[in-house]
Amino acid sequence: MIELAGLTKRYGRTTAVQDLTFSVRPGVVTGFLGPNGSGKSTTMRMILGLDHPSAGQVRIDGRRYHQLADPLTHIGALLEAKAVHPGRTAYHHLLCLAQSNDIPLRRIDDVLDLVGLAGVAKKRPKGFSLGMGQRLGIASALLGDPRILMFDEPVNGLDPEGIQWIRNLMKRLAAEGRTVFVSSHLMSEMALTADHLIVIGQGRLLADTSMARFIEENARTFVRVRSPDHERLRAALERAGGRPRQCPDGSLEIEDLPAARVGELAAENDVVLHELSHQQASLEEAFMRLTHESVEYHARAGR
Amino acid sequence: MTAPTPLPAQQAAPAHPAPGYASPIPVVRTHIGHAIASEWTKIRTVRSTVWTLLSMFVVTLGIGTLYALSLSGEDYVGMPLLAGGFFGLMLGQLGIITLGVLVISSEYGTGMMRTTLTACPRRGRVLTAKAIVFFLLAFLMTLAAAVPTALVQLAVLSDQEVPSYAVDDAVMEDSIVDGEVVASTDQVLGATLGAALYVALLGLLALAVGALLRHSAGAITVMLGVVLLPLLTALFLFGESVADLRDALIEYSPLNGLASLYGIPMMGDELDSGWPLLGLLALVTGGTLAAAFARLNAGDA
Ligand SMILES: Nc1ncnc2c1ncn2[C@@H]1O[C@H](COP(=O)(O)OP(=O)(O)OP(=O)(O)O)[C@@H](O)[C@H]1O
Ligand SMILES: [Mg+2]
């Protein structure tokens, strides 16, 4: 369990994180979602005691991070930037971490096997691919077999196979009863992995909700229909009890009639259709709406 | 979506409330010994350690040997018997200084420092362990280079013929016994233990500077300045008006400290055994380390 209370971080005049209060519970994957620069990595660094909060506090299973005598057996983290010395072999990197927390050395081979790096244990990370580097970071996080795991953008730069692997790993870790906290700026990725969702924008909490509920509230489905004769179509739909909405591109959107019924109504009234489709508003759109006002650079960056 | 109002934190319960994972790894209270073991693994598993120490060793013994060989024969040298070791170690110490800086600045450069501090959140303990491991390694390796260098001087230069005027030479005061050039106990201690301690302290100072600047090239540059600039500056200070400053720069130059331990002080009367200057270096190093502790504890990693 990770608990944040009023957590705030200012760098000079920029406020990177403002008054964050939430808990991350065990047994589920909790997604930590926010656009670039919204303060995800800063929050995670404060959880690990690396950055000092300007205000507020963090508790790891009820304790402050620096009160943990052997922190790696409580919480393991994959940090945003590759936090390894490129000239030290994977094995030795894990060895120095294990020694600092008195972790049994057999764990090194265990985690190297688990992440699929056993074959390159004696190699220096200098020559590792992005995915291998990420796997080494995950091996470090898992080394102490901790109850809490935290990953900062673990799928960044990975190929589909790597993404799939990390997704399954996180679900498995959560199913074992661990607390899994994972950041991302992609809603679509979180929708596939996370059970719970924490959304921030410009350092502020925007949502703290279960994934199921977020989908229910945001995944709007509707029927899109296009016709050269849309006035007659509209009248027919309204007679059948629908409330079609006119879109700027000339199409109609109907939420209260199924696509099949719309087709039948068109046929009965001899209206020609150019399009009849079932639509689902994406979660990505919902996420963007949610963070819209908070996206600092969205106008300037033009993305 | 409704207005983006934050939902209360306790609102949604986990889908399948779990009892929580119990790690099979026993809980231990870690101590400084764990940090020292970890730092020893770190320092011995990167190549920069090997090449800095190797270059220190080769340069120190190599130049010391060349010096001795170039003066071999029976001609009088006019310097204490072990003095030749200074010329090699003067350059060799740069390897120790570089290693001292890299021990900490490379961790900042690569991001490893964040991993280190998550594994050991007591920052003072991390710095202490690094300092202990580096200092012992630097001391022992410098000693391992200084001792054979001294033996080479003894072997090659012991049969000099001492001319009569040499007896009055102040520099050679302890070096001439019964018409032969010998190494006094003080000189042997200075050229081995003293020199190794001095260079290891200088390396520790470099480590502290690396921790303060968190930047390899910057910290190495600063250390080169500390070692070389006082003497170089003194070379350009002519004239009576700045004579005191010039003398002070030479006397307190780190190079003079090392030279004095080899019995060839560049300046000074009371400090000329080198040990007082070594004590001064220890004080400066201690002060800089204290500043590094403060910086490490106060700020973000
Ligand atoms: N050390 C620092 N000094 C000054 N400003 C900082 C520092 N670290 C972060 N910031 C600022 O704090 C804000 C939050 O940054 P942070 O890296 O936490 O965002 P993020 O959500 O992780 O973004 P991304 O998705 O791009 O990784 C940014 O505006 C960033 O410029
Ligand atoms: Mg980030």
Side-chain angles (χ1 to χ4, degrees), chain A residues 16 23 68 93 95 101 109 124 126 139-140 192 210 226 244 272-273 301:
Chain A
S23 330
L68 303 172
H93 174 72
L95 176 61
N101 277 239
D109 294 321
R124 296 168 202 275
K126 216 180 322 201
S140 317
L192 292 169
S210 76
R226 203 189 296 273
V272 174
L273 291 189

Side-chain angles (χ1 to χ4, degrees), chain A residues 65 69 83 96 99 101 147 213, chain B residues 11 21 30 38 41 115 118-119:
Chain A
Y65 194 88
C96 73
Q99 286 173 323
N101 277 239
R147 293 159 53 85
R213 180 166 165 173
Chain B
Q11 186 246 347
Y21 182 75
T30 53
S38 174
T41 298
T115 304
T118 33

Side-chain angles (χ1 to χ4, degrees), chain B residues 41-109:
Chain B
T41 298
K42 279 192 206 165
I43 203 169
R44 74 181 170 83
T45 54
V46 289
R47 288 192 174 139
S48 53
T49 305
V50 178
W51 64 252
T52 49
L53 290 178
L54 197 68
S55 59
M56 181 278 294
F57 187 86
V58 169
V59 166
T60 303
L61 184 56
I63 294 183
T65 305
L66 287 177
Y67 169 88
L69 291 178
S70 70
L71 295 174
S72 65
E74 318 225 308
D75 292 339
Y76 178 59
V77 177
M79 282 220 262
L81 194 50
L82 302 180
F86 167 72
F87 304 106
L89 195 53
M90 182 178 71
L91 289 174
Q93 66 180 348
L94 300 182
I96 298 290
I97 287 172
T98 307
L99 179 60
V101 166
L102 288 180
V103 159
I104 193 141
S105 66
S106 74
E107 288 214 18
Y108 281 107

Side-chain angles (χ1 to χ4, degrees), chain A residues 138-164:
Chain A
I138 290 170
S140 317
L142 295 173
L143 187 64
D145 205 354
R147 293 159 53 85
I148 305 175
L149 286 148
M150 200 161 76
F151 302 108
D152 197 356
E153 312 220 5
V155 301
N156 246 7
L158 293 194
D159 59 17
E161 203 185 325
I163 293 176
Q164 183 83 40

Side-chain angles (χ1 to χ4, degrees), chain A residues 14 28 58 71 79 87 107 118 121 140 144 192 195 231 256 272 274 282 301:
Chain A
T14 9
V28 291
V58 181
L79 294 169
R107 281 292 298 165
S140 317
L192 292 169
D195 311 290
E231 285 309 329
D256 31 21
V272 174
H274 288 172
S282 75

Side-chain angles (χ1 to χ4, degrees), chain A residues 9 11 23 25 27-28 45 48-52 65-66 69-73 79 82-88 92-93 95-97 99-103 107 124 143-145 147 176-178 196 205-206 208-210 213 218 289-290, chain B residues 1-2 4-16 18 20-30 34-35 37-38 41-47 106 110-112 114-115 117-123 297-301:
Chain A
K9 179 68 185 180
Y11 295 106
S23 330
R25 280 171 291 273
V28 291
R45 285 200 303 276
L48 295 172
L50 292 170
D51 281 18
H52 298 306
Y65 194 88
H66 73 256
D70 50 348
L72 297 187
T73 65
L79 294 169
K82 264 196 199 171
V84 303
H85 191 301
R88 185 177 291 119
H92 284 137
H93 174 72
L95 176 61
C96 73
L97 291 182
Q99 286 173 323
S100 71
N101 277 239
D102 204 14
I103 294 166
R107 281 292 298 165
R124 296 168 202 275
L143 187 64
D145 205 354
R147 293 159 53 85
E176 288 168 353
R178 302 186 214 233
H196 196 85
L205 189 67
L206 298 180
D208 179 351
T209 173
S210 76
R213 180 166 165 173
N218 292 286
R289 259 202 319 278
L290 186 57
Chain B
M1 176 76 191
T2 49
T5 38
L7 298 161
Q10 259 63 24
Q11 186 246 347
H16 33 90
Y21 182 75
S23 173
I25 293 182
V27 174
V28 289
R29 283 220 71 82
T30 53
H34 296 109
S38 174
T41 298
K42 279 192 206 165
I43 203 169
R44 74 181 170 83
T45 54
V46 289
R47 288 192 174 139
S106 74
T110 58
M112 178 69 191
R114 288 196 170 137
T115 304
L117 291 181
T118 33
C120 183
R122 302 208 179 164
R123 301 181 179 187
N297 277 318
D300 295 336

Side-chain angles (χ1 to χ4, degrees), chain A residues 225-231 233 250-252 271-275:
Chain A
V225 62
R226 203 189 296 273
S227 164
D229 198 4
H230 74 257
E231 285 309 329
L233 178 62
S251 66
L252 295 173
V271 174
V272 174
L273 291 189
H274 288 172
E275 180 188 351

